[in-house]
Amino acid sequence: MKPTRRRACSVDDNTWFLANNAGSRIASIMAADGCSSSLGLPCVFSPKSRQYLASFAQDGRLRIWNTDSKILHQEYVPSAHLSATCTCIAWGPCRIAKEGPLRKKRKSEAGRVEEQADLLALGTAVGTIIIYSAVKGALHCTLDGGHSGGVNCVQWHPVDGLLYSGSDDPYIVEWDLQTSKTRCKWKADRASVTSLCVSPDGKLLLSAGQTIKMWDLKTKEVYRKFTGHSTAVTTLRFATTRPPDSNGLYFLSAAAHDRLISVWQVQEDGNDKNSVVSFTLTDDPQHIDLLTSNSKEEAVRLAVVCKDGQLHLFEHFLNGPCKKPLSPSCTVQMSGLEDIPVPVPLLAAALTADTRSLLLAYGSYLQPVMERVDVNTAERHVCLTRDVHTTLTLAMENTVSKVKTPVVNAKSKALVPGLPGHRAPVKAALGSEKRKKATDAKEMSIEERLGEIDLSLEKGGVKGTPSLQTDNFAVLLVQGLESKDANILNNVFQTRKDILIKKTVSRLPIPAVLPLVEEITKRMQGHPYTAVLMVRWLKAVLMQHTSYLSSLPDLVSQLGVLYHMIESRVKMFHKLTKLHGKLYLLMTQVTTGDSGNTIKDVDHKAKLVYEEESSDEDKASGDEGLPDEDSDNWEDETMEEETEEGMRTESKANGDSDMEPGNESEEE
């Protein structure tokens, strides 16, 4: 498949058209809704031979692809691939790996021992590091206990079996893979460590958050400090292999949201705080590969894959500062073969010894396409057209062809286990099976089948245990939510038993929780009687499924309407309570005033009359016959009263009216 070069013109922000015109320029604008990779997922080629490509996709699985055969070589699923997602990946140095018991080699084979890429270091978001062996196809070891935050970068030592890691905590950890424990740990910065790089000779270590520091690995002390970038540094790479005291040691750095790659020189006098060279890009750098320079006469070759899916190639002789930013010597883009070509994003690129040859990975992280292409770097812009869909189908066929499917006879029957619960199939009676065998040529209608089911239930069925469990409230609720049937939902929501509501909500499947919350929110906005019933269901949902609701990323937008409605009603309840109290006091005063003013009419009729049986004549005769005992006393009392009145008048005339009552009584 030979690369074809065409001219690209942008009609609008979302459309491209290409015209045949060799050796012309290609616009660097990509479609906003195209296949550009906005996710910075780890994707890296193996060192030296570039035989393998290790990548992580959105499903959290490690996939190792063979670049020669272009098929999936290995796949590894970490135990916590969903919670502890992979944040960074790095191939270890090539080594002689042992694949179990080795046979005794001949003398002619003894000298032909090849080193191959074996170990992969995978940093996770929970602070652990997974070491995977590509040769064994299994987990090598797990490094934990070194970091309290997510791992941002891992870097291998080129000679010793050591690994360096940086995380959200401001520490750098040196790991010993023989013991799987920390060998050294020191504080590198005030903030998190986002990038690391070990020098080719293994004596220096670069670390960066926003500022860049160079460490002496023997003493673990700072050797140099550099200004760095305004944002977090994402990539650090040594560009030369010269000693630091020769003014010939260079390294480059790239940062997030920064379209410049800066090159720094380690000077002998220490005056090296600012960058000496910068390379311009079209977007944030996503994947960087370079071939180091071993002498001043050898140029540094750099391949940068940007976030917009374009590849930029640079070639520069590092010999002192350069004032102007350097533009790429060649830009490579890919597109499909459609009538309106859609750009195909590049995922990674690897340089080879041949200046014209490149190893590209493009397409999707789930199924990347690897290809070795020859690019004429003399042209500033190159566009490669590929039929990605055809290539993907061929790769999938090659991958799936290894799976062997058994040959099944046409007359054989496959036995499928029944589903439990309300979806369990109804078992037919033995009588119906015999009838079917007797009348194989005649097919039964649906009405006859239903009649057979009813007869089987009446004859051999157990009462009270129907085969279809349709009376389950959870099943009815799920059916009502899926079909949005108001009758089913009304029958379910009318229950007032808290225990039944709690059990129903606890048996709901997870995908039905959010539709239930939306239905409850909708019904709470209606009649107050319905809102009283819905509050019980809402309480059960929050008690049973709080953990699931809190894991939703758009929880605020989902529960915002419900929250504002409850808050507004709570505020209104306080005002209504005050109004109720005032009205109650007013009504009690009105009722008490009305009761005091109204006087009931007095009934003058006697409710009870008692009459004696004796006559008046008997009374008169009886009184006259009896002696009058009080007649004498009455006369004496009248005489005493007259004498007292006479004495009082005399005392008033003599002026003795102020006498004490005691003396007055004594005189009397």
Side-chain angles (χ1 to χ4, degrees), residues 512-544:
V513 174
L514 200 57
L516 176 60
V517 174
E518 294 176 356
E519 184 67 25
I520 292 173
T521 305
K522 180 181 176 181
R523 288 176 175 262
M524 286 184 68
Q525 296 175 359
H527 197 274
Y529 175 76
T530 309
V532 172
L533 298 176
M534 290 298 101
V535 166
R536 300 186 178 186
W537 288 89
L538 179 62
K539 180 181 177 182
V541 171
L542 294 179
M543 291 178 64
Q544 297 291 332

PDB file of all heavy atoms in Angstrom, residues 512-544:
ATOM      1  N   ALA A 512     -32.732   0.503  36.776  1.00  0.00           N
ATOM      2  CA  ALA A 512     -34.076   1.036  36.982  1.00  0.00           C
ATOM      3  C   ALA A 512     -34.151   2.054  38.108  1.00  0.00           C
ATOM      4  O   ALA A 512     -35.223   2.608  38.363  1.00  0.00           O
ATOM      5  CB  ALA A 512     -35.043  -0.112  37.278  1.00  0.00           C
ATOM      6  N   VAL A 513     -33.041   2.320  38.796  1.00  0.00           N
ATOM      7  CA  VAL A 513     -33.072   3.246  39.936  1.00  0.00           C
ATOM      8  C   VAL A 513     -33.278   4.678  39.463  1.00  0.00           C
ATOM      9  O   VAL A 513     -34.128   5.420  39.987  1.00  0.00           O
ATOM     10  CB  VAL A 513     -31.766   3.117  40.759  1.00  0.00           C
ATOM     11  CG1 VAL A 513     -31.729   4.172  41.858  1.00  0.00           C
ATOM     12  CG2 VAL A 513     -31.671   1.736  41.361  1.00  0.00           C
ATOM     13  N   LEU A 514     -32.502   5.082  38.446  1.00  0.00           N
ATOM     14  CA  LEU A 514     -32.608   6.462  37.975  1.00  0.00           C
ATOM     15  C   LEU A 514     -33.966   6.754  37.341  1.00  0.00           C
ATOM     16  O   LEU A 514     -34.561   7.809  37.608  1.00  0.00           O
ATOM     17  CB  LEU A 514     -31.471   6.766  36.994  1.00  0.00           C
ATOM     18  CG  LEU A 514     -31.143   8.245  36.767  1.00  0.00           C
ATOM     19  CD1 LEU A 514     -30.817   8.921  38.083  1.00  0.00           C
ATOM     20  CD2 LEU A 514     -29.982   8.385  35.812  1.00  0.00           C
ATOM     21  N   PRO A 515     -34.547   5.865  36.496  1.00  0.00           N
ATOM     22  CA  PRO A 515     -35.911   6.128  36.028  1.00  0.00           C
ATOM     23  C   PRO A 515     -36.937   6.199  37.145  1.00  0.00           C
ATOM     24  O   PRO A 515     -37.897   6.971  37.054  1.00  0.00           O
ATOM     25  CB  PRO A 515     -36.190   4.946  35.086  1.00  0.00           C
ATOM     26  CG  PRO A 515     -34.859   4.510  34.620  1.00  0.00           C
ATOM     27  CD  PRO A 515     -33.944   4.734  35.776  1.00  0.00           C
ATOM     28  N   LEU A 516     -36.730   5.425  38.221  1.00  0.00           N
ATOM     29  CA  LEU A 516     -37.648   5.504  39.358  1.00  0.00           C
ATOM     30  C   LEU A 516     -37.565   6.863  40.044  1.00  0.00           C
ATOM     31  O   LEU A 516     -38.584   7.450  40.413  1.00  0.00           O
ATOM     32  CB  LEU A 516     -37.330   4.381  40.352  1.00  0.00           C
ATOM     33  CG  LEU A 516     -38.153   4.384  41.648  1.00  0.00           C
ATOM     34  CD1 LEU A 516     -39.638   4.256  41.339  1.00  0.00           C
ATOM     35  CD2 LEU A 516     -37.702   3.267  42.575  1.00  0.00           C
ATOM     36  N   VAL A 517     -36.351   7.394  40.201  1.00  0.00           N
ATOM     37  CA  VAL A 517     -36.196   8.718  40.814  1.00  0.00           C
ATOM     38  C   VAL A 517     -36.857   9.785  39.943  1.00  0.00           C
ATOM     39  O   VAL A 517     -37.510  10.712  40.461  1.00  0.00           O
ATOM     40  CB  VAL A 517     -34.698   9.023  41.031  1.00  0.00           C
ATOM     41  CG1 VAL A 517     -34.507  10.446  41.524  1.00  0.00           C
ATOM     42  CG2 VAL A 517     -34.102   8.044  42.024  1.00  0.00           C
ATOM     43  N   GLU A 518     -36.710   9.675  38.635  1.00  0.00           N
ATOM     44  CA  GLU A 518     -37.349  10.648  37.744  1.00  0.00           C
ATOM     45  C   GLU A 518     -38.873  10.572  37.824  1.00  0.00           C
ATOM     46  O   GLU A 518     -39.563  11.602  37.829  1.00  0.00           O
ATOM     47  CB  GLU A 518     -36.880  10.408  36.309  1.00  0.00           C
ATOM     48  CG  GLU A 518     -35.393  10.678  36.095  1.00  0.00           C
ATOM     49  CD  GLU A 518     -34.954  10.332  34.684  1.00  0.00           C
ATOM     50  OE1 GLU A 518     -35.803   9.806  33.923  1.00  0.00           O
ATOM     51  OE2 GLU A 518     -33.780  10.580  34.343  1.00  0.00           O
ATOM     52  N   GLU A 519     -39.418   9.349  37.931  1.00  0.00           N
ATOM     53  CA  GLU A 519     -40.870   9.202  38.052  1.00  0.00           C
ATOM     54  C   GLU A 519     -41.368   9.752  39.389  1.00  0.00           C
ATOM     55  O   GLU A 519     -42.431  10.389  39.463  1.00  0.00           O
ATOM     56  CB  GLU A 519     -41.238   7.716  37.912  1.00  0.00           C
ATOM     57  CG  GLU A 519     -42.723   7.436  37.922  1.00  0.00           C
ATOM     58  CD  GLU A 519     -43.436   7.991  36.702  1.00  0.00           C
ATOM     59  OE1 GLU A 519     -42.771   8.167  35.661  1.00  0.00           O
ATOM     60  OE2 GLU A 519     -44.652   8.254  36.800  1.00  0.00           O
ATOM     61  N   ILE A 520     -40.606   9.516  40.462  1.00  0.00           N
ATOM     62  CA  ILE A 520     -40.984  10.060  41.767  1.00  0.00           C
ATOM     63  C   ILE A 520     -40.962  11.583  41.740  1.00  0.00           C
ATOM     64  O   ILE A 520     -41.861  12.252  42.269  1.00  0.00           O
ATOM     65  CB  ILE A 520     -40.046   9.498  42.858  1.00  0.00           C
ATOM     66  CG1 ILE A 520     -40.292   8.000  43.056  1.00  0.00           C
ATOM     67  CG2 ILE A 520     -40.229  10.236  44.168  1.00  0.00           C
ATOM     68  CD1 ILE A 520     -39.311   7.333  43.985  1.00  0.00           C
ATOM     69  N   THR A 521     -39.946  12.161  41.109  1.00  0.00           N
ATOM     70  CA  THR A 521     -39.866  13.621  41.004  1.00  0.00           C
ATOM     71  C   THR A 521     -41.051  14.180  40.228  1.00  0.00           C
ATOM     72  O   THR A 521     -41.637  15.202  40.602  1.00  0.00           O
ATOM     73  CB  THR A 521     -38.551  14.012  40.314  1.00  0.00           C
ATOM     74  OG1 THR A 521     -37.454  13.423  41.018  1.00  0.00           O
ATOM     75  CG2 THR A 521     -38.382  15.523  40.303  1.00  0.00           C
ATOM     76  N   LYS A 522     -41.431  13.496  39.165  1.00  0.00           N
ATOM     77  CA  LYS A 522     -42.563  13.956  38.356  1.00  0.00           C
ATOM     78  C   LYS A 522     -43.861  13.898  39.137  1.00  0.00           C
ATOM     79  O   LYS A 522     -44.696  14.815  39.060  1.00  0.00           O
ATOM     80  CB  LYS A 522     -42.634  13.094  37.099  1.00  0.00           C
ATOM     81  CG  LYS A 522     -43.770  13.447  36.156  1.00  0.00           C
ATOM     82  CD  LYS A 522     -43.765  12.522  34.957  1.00  0.00           C
ATOM     83  CE  LYS A 522     -44.950  12.803  34.041  1.00  0.00           C
ATOM     84  NZ  LYS A 522     -44.965  11.868  32.878  1.00  0.00           N
ATOM     85  N   ARG A 523     -44.049  12.836  39.918  1.00  0.00           N
ATOM     86  CA  ARG A 523     -45.303  12.689  40.652  1.00  0.00           C
ATOM     87  C   ARG A 523     -45.358  13.591  41.887  1.00  0.00           C
ATOM     88  O   ARG A 523     -46.449  13.983  42.314  1.00  0.00           O
ATOM     89  CB  ARG A 523     -45.496  11.222  41.068  1.00  0.00           C
ATOM     90  CG  ARG A 523     -45.823  10.318  39.896  1.00  0.00           C
ATOM     91  CD  ARG A 523     -45.901   8.870  40.324  1.00  0.00           C
ATOM     92  NE  ARG A 523     -46.321   8.028  39.207  1.00  0.00           N
ATOM     93  CZ  ARG A 523     -47.581   7.617  39.012  1.00  0.00           C
ATOM     94  NH1 ARG A 523     -48.532   7.979  39.860  1.00  0.00           N
ATOM     95  NH2 ARG A 523     -47.880   6.862  37.983  1.00  0.00           N
ATOM     96  N   MET A 524     -44.233  13.920  42.472  1.00  0.00           N
ATOM     97  CA  MET A 524     -44.235  14.812  43.638  1.00  0.00           C
ATOM     98  C   MET A 524     -44.628  16.232  43.276  1.00  0.00           C
ATOM     99  O   MET A 524     -45.032  17.014  44.145  1.00  0.00           O
ATOM    100  CB  MET A 524     -42.858  14.811  44.312  1.00  0.00           C
ATOM    101  CG  MET A 524     -42.558  13.552  45.081  1.00  0.00           C
ATOM    102  SD  MET A 524     -40.987  13.633  45.967  1.00  0.00           S
ATOM    103  CE  MET A 524     -41.368  14.877  47.196  1.00  0.00           C
ATOM    104  N   GLN A 525     -44.527  16.595  42.018  1.00  0.00           N
ATOM    105  CA  GLN A 525     -44.924  17.927  41.587  1.00  0.00           C
ATOM    106  C   GLN A 525     -46.430  18.044  41.366  1.00  0.00           C
ATOM    107  O   GLN A 525     -46.922  19.120  41.047  1.00  0.00           O
ATOM    108  CB  GLN A 525     -44.198  18.289  40.285  1.00  0.00           C
ATOM    109  CG  GLN A 525     -42.691  18.391  40.441  1.00  0.00           C
ATOM    110  CD  GLN A 525     -41.987  18.628  39.132  1.00  0.00           C
ATOM    111  OE1 GLN A 525     -42.627  18.691  38.094  1.00  0.00           O
ATOM    112  NE2 GLN A 525     -40.673  18.758  39.166  1.00  0.00           N
ATOM    113  N   GLY A 526     -47.174  16.930  41.519  1.00  0.00           N
ATOM    114  CA  GLY A 526     -48.604  16.941  41.282  1.00  0.00           C
ATOM    115  C   GLY A 526     -49.397  17.208  42.539  1.00  0.00           C
ATOM    116  O   GLY A 526     -49.087  18.102  43.349  1.00  0.00           O
ATOM    117  N   HIS A 527     -50.442  16.408  42.743  1.00  0.00           N
ATOM    118  CA  HIS A 527     -51.362  16.596  43.864  1.00  0.00           C
ATOM    119  C   HIS A 527     -50.656  16.318  45.185  1.00  0.00           C
ATOM    120  O   HIS A 527     -49.817  15.414  45.273  1.00  0.00           O
ATOM    121  CB  HIS A 527     -52.564  15.652  43.691  1.00  0.00           C
ATOM    122  CG  HIS A 527     -53.741  16.036  44.536  1.00  0.00           C
ATOM    123  ND1 HIS A 527     -53.882  15.610  45.841  1.00  0.00           N
ATOM    124  CD2 HIS A 527     -54.817  16.821  44.266  1.00  0.00           C
ATOM    125  CE1 HIS A 527     -55.002  16.100  46.340  1.00  0.00           C
ATOM    126  NE2 HIS A 527     -55.598  16.836  45.401  1.00  0.00           N
ATOM    127  N   PRO A 528     -51.003  17.068  46.255  1.00  0.00           N
ATOM    128  CA  PRO A 528     -50.342  16.816  47.559  1.00  0.00           C
ATOM    129  C   PRO A 528     -50.576  15.407  48.088  1.00  0.00           C
ATOM    130  O   PRO A 528     -49.716  14.854  48.764  1.00  0.00           O
ATOM    131  CB  PRO A 528     -50.970  17.879  48.470  1.00  0.00           C
ATOM    132  CG  PRO A 528     -51.401  18.971  47.549  1.00  0.00           C
ATOM    133  CD  PRO A 528     -51.815  18.302  46.282  1.00  0.00           C
ATOM    134  N   TYR A 529     -51.733  14.819  47.797  1.00  0.00           N
ATOM    135  CA  TYR A 529     -51.980  13.447  48.248  1.00  0.00           C
ATOM    136  C   TYR A 529     -50.981  12.476  47.611  1.00  0.00           C
ATOM    137  O   TYR A 529     -50.464  11.575  48.267  1.00  0.00           O
ATOM    138  CB  TYR A 529     -53.416  13.050  47.891  1.00  0.00           C
ATOM    139  CG  TYR A 529     -53.736  11.612  48.215  1.00  0.00           C
ATOM    140  CD1 TYR A 529     -53.980  11.214  49.530  1.00  0.00           C
ATOM    141  CD2 TYR A 529     -53.792  10.650  47.204  1.00  0.00           C
ATOM    142  CE1 TYR A 529     -54.269   9.899  49.828  1.00  0.00           C
ATOM    143  CE2 TYR A 529     -54.080   9.328  47.496  1.00  0.00           C
ATOM    144  CZ  TYR A 529     -54.323   8.949  48.818  1.00  0.00           C
ATOM    145  OH  TYR A 529     -54.597   7.646  49.109  1.00  0.00           O
ATOM    146  N   THR A 530     -50.692  12.683  46.333  1.00  0.00           N
ATOM    147  CA  THR A 530     -49.701  11.837  45.660  1.00  0.00           C
ATOM    148  C   THR A 530     -48.299  12.086  46.205  1.00  0.00           C
ATOM    149  O   THR A 530     -47.495  11.161  46.332  1.00  0.00           O
ATOM    150  CB  THR A 530     -49.728  12.111  44.151  1.00  0.00           C
ATOM    151  OG1 THR A 530     -51.069  12.015  43.682  1.00  0.00           O
ATOM    152  CG2 THR A 530     -48.862  11.125  43.395  1.00  0.00           C
ATOM    153  N   ALA A 531     -48.012  13.348  46.542  1.00  0.00           N
ATOM    154  CA  ALA A 531     -46.684  13.666  47.084  1.00  0.00           C
ATOM    155  C   ALA A 531     -46.449  12.971  48.412  1.00  0.00           C
ATOM    156  O   ALA A 531     -45.325  12.549  48.719  1.00  0.00           O
ATOM    157  CB  ALA A 531     -46.541  15.179  47.237  1.00  0.00           C
ATOM    158  N   VAL A 532     -47.491  12.808  49.230  1.00  0.00           N
ATOM    159  CA  VAL A 532     -47.335  12.115  50.516  1.00  0.00           C
ATOM    160  C   VAL A 532     -46.940  10.659  50.287  1.00  0.00           C
ATOM    161  O   VAL A 532     -46.084  10.108  51.000  1.00  0.00           O
ATOM    162  CB  VAL A 532     -48.648  12.225  51.322  1.00  0.00           C
ATOM    163  CG1 VAL A 532     -48.575  11.353  52.571  1.00  0.00           C
ATOM    164  CG2 VAL A 532     -48.913  13.665  51.706  1.00  0.00           C
ATOM    165  N   LEU A 533     -47.525  10.012  49.277  1.00  0.00           N
ATOM    166  CA  LEU A 533     -47.154   8.635  48.971  1.00  0.00           C
ATOM    167  C   LEU A 533     -45.751   8.539  48.387  1.00  0.00           C
ATOM    168  O   LEU A 533     -45.003   7.606  48.678  1.00  0.00           O
ATOM    169  CB  LEU A 533     -48.169   8.037  47.987  1.00  0.00           C
ATOM    170  CG  LEU A 533     -49.622   7.932  48.476  1.00  0.00           C
ATOM    171  CD1 LEU A 533     -50.507   7.417  47.354  1.00  0.00           C
ATOM    172  CD2 LEU A 533     -49.721   7.010  49.681  1.00  0.00           C
ATOM    173  N   MET A 534     -45.392   9.521  47.560  1.00  0.00           N
ATOM    174  CA  MET A 534     -44.090   9.470  46.898  1.00  0.00           C
ATOM    175  C   MET A 534     -42.933   9.697  47.869  1.00  0.00           C
ATOM    176  O   MET A 534     -41.815   9.247  47.619  1.00  0.00           O
ATOM    177  CB  MET A 534     -44.035  10.504  45.780  1.00  0.00           C
ATOM    178  CG  MET A 534     -44.919  10.198  44.582  1.00  0.00           C
ATOM    179  SD  MET A 534     -44.456   8.661  43.748  1.00  0.00           S
ATOM    180  CE  MET A 534     -45.713   7.557  44.390  1.00  0.00           C
ATOM    181  N   VAL A 535     -43.186  10.391  48.968  1.00  0.00           N
ATOM    182  CA  VAL A 535     -42.111  10.644  49.941  1.00  0.00           C
ATOM    183  C   VAL A 535     -41.620   9.327  50.529  1.00  0.00           C
ATOM    184  O   VAL A 535     -40.422   9.140  50.768  1.00  0.00           O
ATOM    185  CB  VAL A 535     -42.615  11.609  51.029  1.00  0.00           C
ATOM    186  CG1 VAL A 535     -41.667  11.627  52.209  1.00  0.00           C
ATOM    187  CG2 VAL A 535     -42.745  13.004  50.466  1.00  0.00           C
ATOM    188  N   ARG A 536     -42.515   8.380  50.737  1.00  0.00           N
ATOM    189  CA  ARG A 536     -42.105   7.086  51.281  1.00  0.00           C
ATOM    190  C   ARG A 536     -41.215   6.331  50.288  1.00  0.00           C
ATOM    191  O   ARG A 536     -40.224   5.719  50.681  1.00  0.00           O
ATOM    192  CB  ARG A 536     -43.345   6.255  51.595  1.00  0.00           C
ATOM    193  CG  ARG A 536     -44.270   6.905  52.624  1.00  0.00           C
ATOM    194  CD  ARG A 536     -45.399   5.974  53.001  1.00  0.00           C
ATOM    195  NE  ARG A 536     -46.264   6.579  54.016  1.00  0.00           N
ATOM    196  CZ  ARG A 536     -47.269   5.928  54.608  1.00  0.00           C
ATOM    197  NH1 ARG A 536     -47.522   4.674  54.271  1.00  0.00           N
ATOM    198  NH2 ARG A 536     -48.011   6.539  55.519  1.00  0.00           N
ATOM    199  N   TRP A 537     -41.575   6.376  49.020  1.00  0.00           N
ATOM    200  CA  TRP A 537     -40.747   5.720  48.003  1.00  0.00           C
ATOM    201  C   TRP A 537     -39.393   6.407  47.865  1.00  0.00           C
ATOM    202  O   TRP A 537     -38.357   5.747  47.705  1.00  0.00           O
ATOM    203  CB  TRP A 537     -41.472   5.718  46.669  1.00  0.00           C
ATOM    204  CG  TRP A 537     -42.616   4.764  46.629  1.00  0.00           C
ATOM    205  CD1 TRP A 537     -43.911   5.001  46.981  1.00  0.00           C
ATOM    206  CD2 TRP A 537     -42.566   3.388  46.233  1.00  0.00           C
ATOM    207  NE1 TRP A 537     -44.675   3.876  46.824  1.00  0.00           N
ATOM    208  CE2 TRP A 537     -43.877   2.862  46.347  1.00  0.00           C
ATOM    209  CE3 TRP A 537     -41.560   2.558  45.757  1.00  0.00           C
ATOM    210  CZ2 TRP A 537     -44.183   1.550  46.039  1.00  0.00           C
ATOM    211  CZ3 TRP A 537     -41.863   1.247  45.443  1.00  0.00           C
ATOM    212  CH2 TRP A 537     -43.155   0.747  45.586  1.00  0.00           C
ATOM    213  N   LEU A 538     -39.387   7.742  47.929  1.00  0.00           N
ATOM    214  CA  LEU A 538     -38.120   8.464  47.827  1.00  0.00           C
ATOM    215  C   LEU A 538     -37.209   8.142  49.002  1.00  0.00           C
ATOM    216  O   LEU A 538     -35.991   7.973  48.841  1.00  0.00           O
ATOM    217  CB  LEU A 538     -38.391   9.969  47.757  1.00  0.00           C
ATOM    218  CG  LEU A 538     -37.167  10.879  47.670  1.00  0.00           C
ATOM    219  CD1 LEU A 538     -36.382  10.593  46.398  1.00  0.00           C
ATOM    220  CD2 LEU A 538     -37.594  12.345  47.707  1.00  0.00           C
ATOM    221  N   LYS A 539     -37.764   8.032  50.186  1.00  0.00           N
ATOM    222  CA  LYS A 539     -36.964   7.679  51.359  1.00  0.00           C
ATOM    223  C   LYS A 539     -36.354   6.296  51.210  1.00  0.00           C
ATOM    224  O   LYS A 539     -35.170   6.079  51.514  1.00  0.00           O
ATOM    225  CB  LYS A 539     -37.849   7.740  52.604  1.00  0.00           C
ATOM    226  CG  LYS A 539     -37.134   7.386  53.896  1.00  0.00           C
ATOM    227  CD  LYS A 539     -38.090   7.450  55.076  1.00  0.00           C
ATOM    228  CE  LYS A 539     -37.380   7.025  56.371  1.00  0.00           C
ATOM    229  NZ  LYS A 539     -38.312   7.046  57.518  1.00  0.00           N
ATOM    230  N   ALA A 540     -37.134   5.332  50.692  1.00  0.00           N
ATOM    231  CA  ALA A 540     -36.606   3.974  50.500  1.00  0.00           C
ATOM    232  C   ALA A 540     -35.501   3.947  49.451  1.00  0.00           C
ATOM    233  O   ALA A 540     -34.493   3.246  49.607  1.00  0.00           O
ATOM    234  CB  ALA A 540     -37.746   3.035  50.101  1.00  0.00           C
ATOM    235  N   VAL A 541     -35.652   4.730  48.373  1.00  0.00           N
ATOM    236  CA  VAL A 541     -34.617   4.769  47.324  1.00  0.00           C
ATOM    237  C   VAL A 541     -33.317   5.344  47.863  1.00  0.00           C
ATOM    238  O   VAL A 541     -32.224   4.818  47.612  1.00  0.00           O
ATOM    239  CB  VAL A 541     -35.133   5.588  46.117  1.00  0.00           C
ATOM    240  CG1 VAL A 541     -34.008   5.836  45.125  1.00  0.00           C
ATOM    241  CG2 VAL A 541     -36.260   4.855  45.425  1.00  0.00           C
ATOM    242  N   LEU A 542     -33.411   6.425  48.630  1.00  0.00           N
ATOM    243  CA  LEU A 542     -32.193   7.043  49.169  1.00  0.00           C
ATOM    244  C   LEU A 542     -31.514   6.151  50.195  1.00  0.00           C
ATOM    245  O   LEU A 542     -30.290   6.165  50.327  1.00  0.00           O
ATOM    246  CB  LEU A 542     -32.543   8.400  49.787  1.00  0.00           C
ATOM    247  CG  LEU A 542     -33.032   9.465  48.797  1.00  0.00           C
ATOM    248  CD1 LEU A 542     -33.379  10.749  49.538  1.00  0.00           C
ATOM    249  CD2 LEU A 542     -31.996   9.747  47.737  1.00  0.00           C
ATOM    250  N   MET A 543     -32.289   5.363  50.935  1.00  0.00           N
ATOM    251  CA  MET A 543     -31.687   4.472  51.933  1.00  0.00           C
ATOM    252  C   MET A 543     -31.045   3.247  51.294  1.00  0.00           C
ATOM    253  O   MET A 543     -30.019   2.763  51.779  1.00  0.00           O
ATOM    254  CB  MET A 543     -32.754   4.032  52.942  1.00  0.00           C
ATOM    255  CG  MET A 543     -33.243   5.138  53.859  1.00  0.00           C
ATOM    256  SD  MET A 543     -34.532   4.569  54.991  1.00  0.00           S
ATOM    257  CE  MET A 543     -33.628   3.359  55.952  1.00  0.00           C
ATOM    258  N   GLN A 544     -31.601   2.752  50.194  1.00  0.00           N
ATOM    259  CA  GLN A 544     -31.108   1.512  49.596  1.00  0.00           C
ATOM    260  C   GLN A 544     -30.035   1.742  48.531  1.00  0.00           C
ATOM    261  O   GLN A 544     -29.134   0.927  48.381  1.00  0.00           O
ATOM    262  CB  GLN A 544     -32.285   0.739  48.969  1.00  0.00           C
ATOM    263  CG  GLN A 544     -33.327   0.298  49.966  1.00  0.00           C
ATOM    264  CD  GLN A 544     -32.818  -0.782  50.905  1.00  0.00           C
ATOM    265  OE1 GLN A 544     -31.940  -1.558  50.556  1.00  0.00           O
ATOM    266  NE2 GLN A 544     -33.354  -0.819  52.104  1.00  0.00           N
TER     267      GLN A 544
END
